[in-house]
Amino acid sequence: GGGSGGGAFGGGRRHPARPRMQKSKSSLASRRRGVAATTITTRGGEGSSYHDGDDAANSSSSTLTTTTTTTTKKKPSSSSSIRVGRAGGGGKKKTTADLSESSSHSQHSQEDRDRVTLRASLIVPLVHGEVIDAAAAARADLNDTKQTVSQMRASLSRLEGQLHEMIVALDGATRAQAEQRQMEEDARVAEAREWIAAWRARGAARIVEDLATHALPPGHGDDDENATQSEQGEEEERPTPKRRMRVAIIGAGPAGLACALIMANLRGCDVHVFERRKDPSKADLNQAFVYNIDARGRKVLELIDHEDGELMDDIESRSVPAGGKLMLKVATPDGTITPSEVTFRSKRTKSLWLPRQALVDALLNAVKRAPRIALHTGSAPVVKISDDLTTVTMDEEKGVVVKPHLIVAADGARSATRQAMEDADGARGHFEPPVMRASPAANLKYKVLVLSDQFRFVNDAAEVAKDGSSMISVRGAVTDGPSRMRLGLLPVRPPQRRTANIIAYDDHVVWEHMSTVRGAERYLENMFPQVDWSKALEPGELDRFVAASGGHFPTPQAPNRLAYVPLHRDSYKRGDEECVAAVLIGDAAHCFPPDLGQGVNSALEDVLVLDEALEHSRDLYRATSPVEIGRYAATRYRKKREPDARALVNLVAVGYPWQYSQPGRIQSFRTKLWTLNYLLRAALHR
């Protein structure tokens, strides 16, 4: 037993460094079964050693356990605990039993070492083989990785080659598309020219046919009629109107006169133009605007010129041509004049600068050359539209009463014809009041100051003011605050005179200063000292300016509908009295401030769309009755032009409303904010 009281050598405290041998409880049980078990436990601290014969093993805080099992025949052999002293130390002399037991222990220890060696000899080759296999697998994985990387590099090279081919192909496709678009554009231009030529030929043929059929007395003109029919035999068959169409145009402005020329010269219609002014050729200085006719307006004027032959020459002799850039000269109060070139339109766009009255005069001259146009002036026409009878009456005493097949309202923003259309429509709000959009430029008051041909700047040796092809900005002495002002002079061709528009709100101090002639003189001299006002104005111009009421920029507006068409076809009569259609063009259809210069160009475009609708109604619907042609044309015009009119109104409301130097800090801040917004959008657009 080995309890706390000691082992076989008696009790006493064990030295922690000395090894001890103790029998386990399992060995006692084994002895009863005839099995002898010996457990050798070695515990040692630092520097402890265990000696067995000639073999010695050092241990540090370790435990070595060896179990020896012996089978006996009769009774279990005795077991003894042997205390082994330190090497070279004095201990008790070993007995025969002690030596026998030590020899047996040495034998067992040798067997254990052999067993460990055998196990190591078996385990080491296995571990070595596993290491070799693992290294081989790692090499194989490395080779696979290298091969994968090589494949990826090859794929990347192929992708780069394909990408380069795609870029080259895309570049070629882009160039091909550009060339294709150019070819298509050239084809459209050629087609348009052929169409205009054919249109002109058809218009001439219709005029000849109408003269032969209606104008000549019976029995005359048979040969001409047969010749005309033989010439048209090769052309495609198209319906011929039963009667010549009568068109009433209300208003002799640019849009109304252009529409009259298109209807009479190209469509062979009988046209009646009604104007409230007695002499439309007399300039209205309250409307002394300068127009810029762009490509849209030129298209209509050139179309008229194909039949007239003199219109474009007359217009170009009165206008200043402009390309993509415009010369701007800024005159400051200190007398400095700074020229600069600004991009005005696209380089390919050719436009014309000319005063409004110059355009009206050129169109009036063309109207006088057109035999199918009757111009009625001197009083406002009375338009009555109903299911039973539609008439346009002017001066009933002279018998000017027209029963048209189509009414074209070109009588401005306060159109009386539009109100008549609203009444005929049952006052459902389709025409009156028009839909309006808020704009900072709306309701600005303006007056036009007509300058003399001796207009000069002080100390202007170069005579910059004589150059009518440039735009001039005359800056005021007050550049900030509610009293600031500036003048803008647009290009005109001499000997036509330049005009300067005074534009401000009703409460601006300029109107108080310029309410008298003397006050206007002092204000102009103090505000614009760089101008020689002793020569800038004709005698009596300030008197006219002070007495004039001026005008106000309109609020951007457009009615919900641009055409009135009777709802029921049965309301049409087949005699001379029909319930007719009516359309709106020009300011009657869309009205806005002159911020973007789109008023006259959009009005002329209205005329072109209406003419295309008339041509379409003849060709597609095969209409032969004038009332049917008018009905179909008005319906098509309304569907095509109403979206454009609304888009124009929405665009002008936010386009460039702060260009008039509106006074006030809030207005100044909004002007700068708008300018920043415009510059950012322009940069993004490029």
Side-chain angles (χ1 to χ4, degrees):
S4 62
F9 297 97
R13 189 165 62 117
R14 285 194 314 270
H15 196 279
R18 293 179 179 177
R20 69 186 182 127
M21 303 176 65
Q22 128 180 9
K23 298 177 182 177
S24 63
K25 295 181 181 180
S26 61
S27 64
L28 296 176
S30 300
R31 188 182 300 173
R32 294 190 187 99
R33 294 191 300 269
V35 179
T38 303
T39 301
I40 301 175
T41 303
T42 302
R43 296 178 182 175
E46 295 181 359
S48 66
S49 63
Y50 173 77
H51 303 277
D52 188 3
D54 296 332
D55 300 323
N58 297 325
S59 174
S60 175
S61 301
S62 62
T63 302
L64 173 65
T65 304
T66 305
T67 305
T68 305
T69 307
T70 308
T71 306
T72 60
K73 295 180 180 180
K74 293 181 180 181
K75 61 179 181 179
S77 60
S78 61
S79 170
S80 301
S81 297
I82 302 174
R83 182 174 181 178
V84 182
R86 295 179 180 273
K92 291 183 180 181
K93 187 176 182 179
K94 296 181 180 179
T95 63
T96 304
D98 295 334
L99 293 175
S100 176
E101 187 173 355
S102 175
S103 176
S104 177
H105 176 70
S106 298
Q107 183 178 359
H108 290 307
S109 298
Q110 183 64 35
E111 291 177 358
D112 292 339
R113 284 194 294 273
D114 294 341
R115 190 181 298 110
V116 170
T117 303
L118 179 61
R119 289 178 180 176
S121 65
L122 295 175
I123 293 173
V124 168
L126 294 176
V127 174
H128 182 66
E130 292 178 358
V131 171
I132 293 175
D133 294 341
R139 291 192 190 96
D141 293 340
L142 181 60
N143 293 332
D144 293 341
T145 303
K146 291 180 178 179
Q147 186 177 2
T148 303
V149 171
S150 300
Q151 293 176 355
M152 292 177 64
R153 289 177 178 174
S155 300
L156 183 60
S157 299
R158 288 195 300 271
L159 288 175
E160 289 178 352
Q162 294 176 0
L163 181 60
H164 179 69
E165 294 176 357
M166 291 175 62
I167 292 174
V168 173
L170 182 61
D171 186 33
T174 303
R175 293 179 181 178
Q177 290 177 359
E179 294 176 357
Q180 182 66 23
R181 285 196 296 268
Q182 185 63 35
M183 293 175 61
E184 292 176 356
E185 183 67 22
D186 295 340
R188 282 196 295 269
V189 171
E191 183 181 359
R193 290 175 179 174
E194 294 177 358
W195 178 72
I196 290 174
W199 198 0
R200 181 178 182 181
R202 288 198 301 268
R206 276 194 220 106
I207 292 174
V208 172
E209 180 183 358
D210 291 339
L211 290 175
T213 304
H214 302 285
L216 297 180
H220 295 271
D222 294 338
D223 296 337
D224 294 337
E225 183 176 359
N226 294 332
T228 302
Q229 291 177 355
S230 63
E231 291 175 359
Q232 293 179 342
E234 298 179 357
E235 298 181 1
E236 67 171 322
E237 183 180 356
R238 59 181 297 155
T240 303
K242 297 178 181 179
R243 296 185 308 277
R244 189 178 298 120
M245 190 174 185
R246 292 189 302 274
V247 180
I249 299 176
I250 315 301
L257 294 176
C259 184
L261 290 167
I262 289 284
M263 296 295 172
N265 294 348
L266 273 73
R267 297 298 163 204
C269 302
D270 288 334
V271 180
H272 296 265
V273 180
F274 297 88
E275 171 59 36
R276 60 177 179 81
R277 292 189 299 159
K278 187 174 182 179
D279 186 5
S281 62
K282 185 178 180 180
D284 183 2
L285 296 181
N286 282 329
Q287 295 181 327
F289 313 127
V290 177
Y291 288 152
N292 181 261
I293 309 296
D294 61 12
R296 294 178 299 156
R298 285 177 63 97
K299 185 176 182 180
V300 179
L301 299 177
E302 289 172 356
L303 187 61
I304 298 172
D305 186 67
H306 276 289
E307 295 297 329
D308 180 75
E310 301 180 19
L311 177 62
M312 287 307 299
D313 292 338
D314 193 2
I315 290 177
E316 290 176 355
S317 66
R318 303 168 183 262
S319 61
V320 176
K325 295 186 177 181
L326 181 68
M327 181 61 68
L328 173 64
K329 298 176 181 179
V330 179
T332 55
D334 59 358
T336 304
I337 300 177
T338 305
S340 62
E341 195 175 42
V342 296
T343 301
F344 181 65
R345 295 185 185 273
S346 173
K347 294 181 179 179
R348 296 178 297 176
T349 302
K350 303 299 181 182
S351 59
L352 298 174
W353 291 97
L354 79 165
R356 179 184 186 276
Q357 191 58 43
L359 178 60
V360 171
D361 290 342
L363 292 172
L364 282 173
N365 293 336
V367 166
K368 294 176 182 178
R369 295 189 293 267
R372 293 185 180 276
I373 301 178
L375 181 60
H376 310 284
T377 63
S379 63
V382 179
V383 180
K384 295 181 179 180
I385 303 175
S386 66
D387 290 344
D388 298 328
L389 179 63
T390 297
T391 60
V392 179
T393 305
M394 176 182 284
D395 195 0
E396 294 185 2
E397 296 180 357
K398 296 181 180 180
V400 181
V401 180
V402 178
K403 301 173 184 177
H405 301 114
L406 177 67
I407 295 178
V408 179
D411 47 348
R414 294 182 292 273
S415 173
T417 310
R418 189 172 63 198
Q419 183 60 55
M421 294 164 64
E422 173 69 14
D423 296 339
D425 192 53
R428 294 183 293 175
H430 290 157
F431 303 96
E432 288 286 351
V435 179
M436 297 188 180
R437 284 290 308 272
S439 171
N443 298 318
L444 279 170
K445 184 179 180 180
Y446 66 89
K447 278 189 177 184
V448 179
L449 193 65
V450 181
L451 305 177
S452 70
D453 54 0
Q454 299 297 320
F455 173 76
R456 296 289 184 277
F457 290 108
V458 177
N459 300 325
D460 181 16
E463 296 185 343
V464 175
K466 284 187 176 181
D467 183 13
S469 62
S470 62
M471 181 186 297
I472 301 177
S473 176
V474 184
R475 302 297 172 87
V478 179
T479 59
D480 197 7
S483 300
R484 60 179 178 170
M485 181 61 62
R486 66 182 178 185
L487 301 177
L489 281 62
L490 297 176
V492 295
R493 179 185 289 272
Q496 299 174 110
R497 299 178 182 178
R498 287 184 182 269
T499 57
N501 295 330
I502 307 295
I503 303 172
Y505 288 120
D506 287 332
D507 57 353
H508 196 280
V509 295
V510 65
W511 305 122
E512 180 180 355
H513 289 302
M514 302 190 74
S515 60
T516 63
V517 175
R518 182 54 186 161
E521 290 177 352
R522 287 196 302 266
Y523 179 82
L524 293 175
E525 291 173 355
N526 294 332
M527 182 61 73
F528 307 104
Q530 66 270 42
V531 177
D532 185 2
W533 290 107
S534 63
K535 299 179 180 179
L537 302 175
E538 293 285 350
E541 173 59 22
L542 280 181
D543 296 278
R544 182 205 63 80
F545 179 88
V546 171
S549 59
H552 289 81
F553 287 166
T555 302
Q557 56 186 282
N560 287 314
R561 290 188 180 178
L562 300 185
Y564 167 73
V565 180
L567 296 177
H568 304 291
R569 188 186 180 97
D570 296 339
S571 63
Y572 287 92
K573 295 184 178 181
R574 296 305 176 184
D576 290 334
E577 299 176 356
E578 291 97 355
C579 177
V580 302
V583 298
L584 301 172
I585 67 172
D587 287 348
H590 39 72
C591 188
F592 34 76
D595 302 347
L596 301 178
Q598 295 300 310
V600 65
N601 292 294
S602 60
L604 294 176
E605 191 175 22
D606 293 341
V607 175
L608 183 62
V609 174
L610 178 59
D611 180 66
E612 291 174 351
L614 285 168
E615 180 71 11
H616 191 270
S617 65
R618 280 185 170 182
D619 293 343
L620 181 62
Y621 297 107
R622 314 288 292 180
T624 58
S625 171
V627 69
E628 290 179 345
I629 294 174
R631 180 176 183 268
Y632 290 139
T635 302
R636 182 174 178 82
Y637 171 81
R638 180 177 71 84
K639 291 181 179 179
K640 291 194 66 175
R641 200 56 181 157
E642 282 177 359
D644 294 340
R646 285 190 287 268
L648 276 170
V649 169
N650 293 332
L651 176 64
V652 174
V654 296
Y656 194 11
W658 298 104
Q659 60 181 292
Y660 307 105
S661 300
Q662 290 95 326
R665 294 183 178 179
I666 297 178
Q667 286 81 354
S668 178
F669 172 75
R670 294 182 67 179
T671 301
K672 295 177 182 177
L673 188 63
W674 182 94
T675 304
L676 177 61
N677 181 29
Y678 171 78
L679 293 176
L680 289 175
R681 289 177 180 271
L684 292 175
H685 177 70
R686 292 188 178 183

